[in-house]
Amino acid sequence: MNHPKHFLSLADIPASQLRAILDEAHRRKAARSDMSKGRPDVDAPFSGETLAMIFEKSSTRTRFSFDMAMRQLGGTSITATSNDMQLGRGETVEDTAKVLSRYVDGIMLRANSHQTIVELAQNSSVPVINGLTDYNHPCQIMADLLTLEEKGGQLSDMTLTWVGDGNNVAVSFVNAAVKFGYRLRISTPKGYEVLGQSISAARNAGAAIDIESDPLKACEGTDVVIADTFVSMGDKNGDQRLADLAPYEVTDALMEAAAKSALFLHCLPAHRGEEVSAKVIDGPQSVVFDEAENRLHAQKAIITWCFDV
Ligand code: CP
Ligand code: NVA
């Protein structure tokens, strides 16, 4: 079997390769700045290459940005929910991987369990890209870092502060910290901490990660404040979570504690009045729609890296 390049976790990919992916994303975005969205890139490196996209849970950004990414690269995509597939009726992940590898050039999966994507990759002879699992969301963080660089920041000079639930998106910020050299502060309430294993692995690799349970202190002087939903897909006890996490809503008070030029990030979808106030997310420091757009540009570079173009 081939050894395809999978994109499953930022922790697994060398820093130099992640840097090259971000550079390629900047380059491709700039190269088509005056083109309409549906036109392929001038070099359109793929001639009909096809990405299968499988969703075990809902998506707006991941679904549309990967589809447009393939079109702009000169390829195409096929989308299915797992319930449209025999996978939803008990066909094994292993057999699914072997069959799809005979039809398509790559597979993007949004999975409930991270174990599913690991198993898919182990049995696939084409690249597998992680479109979010319960453990992490690596494509999102590449888009977020692209956005911060575009706004003029040098990542290695920046402090980023995560406020709220220590969820899958937070894990990918932890995984990327040592790769890009930013300092990460994490502020979560008791019971909602980021996976300890991810933090110790990142620290052992040299990442600068500070834990500060007081969100106001965690935001003091920071360059970036990051929020995400308090109830992720698949989470139970939504009402309890909202109550426990309410003191971690990003409001003006937290943004005022941050650096004057601080930016606000959120991967979306957002819940105004829960994890972030409407004033902050719709205010001048928020770059959430640039982030959403950059999913497209970052993923084009991720796909070309995986497909070795
Ligand atoms: N941020 C993100 O992954 O959005 P979707 O769930 O809409 O894909
Ligand atoms: N943490 C959120 C991210 C959605 C893009 C979730 O997993 O639902």
Side-chain angles (χ1 to χ4, degrees):
M1 188 158 109
N2 305 329
H3 290 289
K5 273 155 84 183
H6 302 305
F7 192 86
L8 303 188
S9 167
L10 301 177
D12 300 340
I13 302 171
S16 59
Q17 295 190 31
L18 293 175
R19 181 65 260 163
I21 292 173
L22 270 197
D23 290 343
E24 174 70 358
H26 283 293
R27 191 189 68 73
R28 277 196 181 277
K29 182 174 181 180
R32 59 172 299 119
S33 59
D34 54 358
M35 285 166 64
S36 65
K37 298 179 186 76
R39 294 223 4 229
D41 289 0
V42 172
D43 65 339
F46 300 163
S47 53
E49 264 97 332
T50 301
L51 180 73
M53 306 203 289
I54 308 169
F55 290 91
E56 289 190 340
K57 37 194 181 185
S58 310
S59 169
T60 298
R61 280 144 289 269
T62 304
R63 176 178 178 154
F64 285 89
S65 59
F66 265 107
D67 191 337
M68 288 308 293
M70 285 306 292
R71 292 173 196 225
Q72 290 185 1
L73 291 168
T76 185
S77 71
I78 303 170
T79 303
T81 70
S82 51
N83 285 336
D84 298 330
M85 299 171 59
Q86 299 291 5
L87 190 59
R89 295 181 59 245
E91 185 168 19
T92 64
V93 174
E94 179 174 344
D95 287 357
T96 304
K98 288 178 178 164
V99 171
L100 290 182
S101 295
R102 303 285 180 111
Y103 300 143
V104 297
D105 305 290
I107 305 169
M108 192 283 294
L109 172 66
R110 169 164 284 193
N112 289 315
S113 160
H114 193 72
Q115 189 47 39
T116 306
I117 201 161
V118 170
E119 208 178 318
L120 190 84
Q122 278 165 351
N123 291 286
S124 171
S125 57
V126 298
V128 172
I129 301 175
N130 181 348
L132 178 146
T133 69
D134 59 344
Y135 165 67
N136 65 352
H137 196 2
C139 292
Q140 179 68 53
I141 275 51
M142 293 300 280
D144 294 358
L145 300 180
L146 181 64
T147 307
L148 295 178
E149 288 190 334
E150 257 176 12
K151 301 294 166 194
Q154 169 90 18
L155 294 171
S156 56
D157 292 341
M158 295 179 118
T159 298
L160 280 56
T161 300
W162 177 271
V163 182
D165 182 25
N167 65 14
N168 46 0
V169 178
V171 164
S172 285
F173 273 109
V174 168
N175 292 340
V178 71
K179 310 285 177 168
F180 291 97
Y182 55 80
R183 174 169 284 274
L184 182 65
R185 293 188 199 153
I186 301 175
S187 189
T188 59
K190 211 167 158 23
Y192 295 87
E193 295 88 354
V194 175
L195 273 181
Q197 265 184 329
S198 308
I199 294 186
S200 34
R203 280 180 170 156
N204 289 341
I209 298 182
D210 311 314
I211 310 289
E212 170 52 68
S213 60
D214 178 345
L216 198 64
K217 281 193 192 148
C219 287
E220 268 171 24
T222 195
D223 301 299
V224 184
V225 179
I226 316 164
D228 186 18
T229 181
F230 290 161
V231 188
S232 284
M233 293 179 278
D235 279 342
K236 299 192 172 53
N237 306 322
D239 289 344
Q240 185 65 52
R241 298 178 67 85
L242 291 181
D244 293 345
L245 286 151
Y248 289 74
E249 178 181 355
V250 176
T251 57
D252 279 348
L254 296 195
M255 294 308 293
E256 277 159 22
K260 257 201 155 30
S261 57
L263 299 174
F264 173 74
L265 292 181
H266 189 309
C267 64
L268 304 179
H271 308 81
R272 290 168 174 77
E274 293 180 9
E275 71 273 10
V276 59
S277 70
K279 205 164 158 225
V280 169
I281 195 169
D282 299 319
Q285 288 167 283
S286 171
V287 291
V288 298
F289 296 109
D290 293 313
E291 253 186 288
E293 177 185 338
N294 282 335
R295 292 293 303 279
L296 167 63
H297 304 295
Q299 283 154 201
K300 285 167 70 180
I302 292 167
I303 297 166
T304 54
W305 175 82
C306 284
F307 286 27
D308 239 344
V309 171

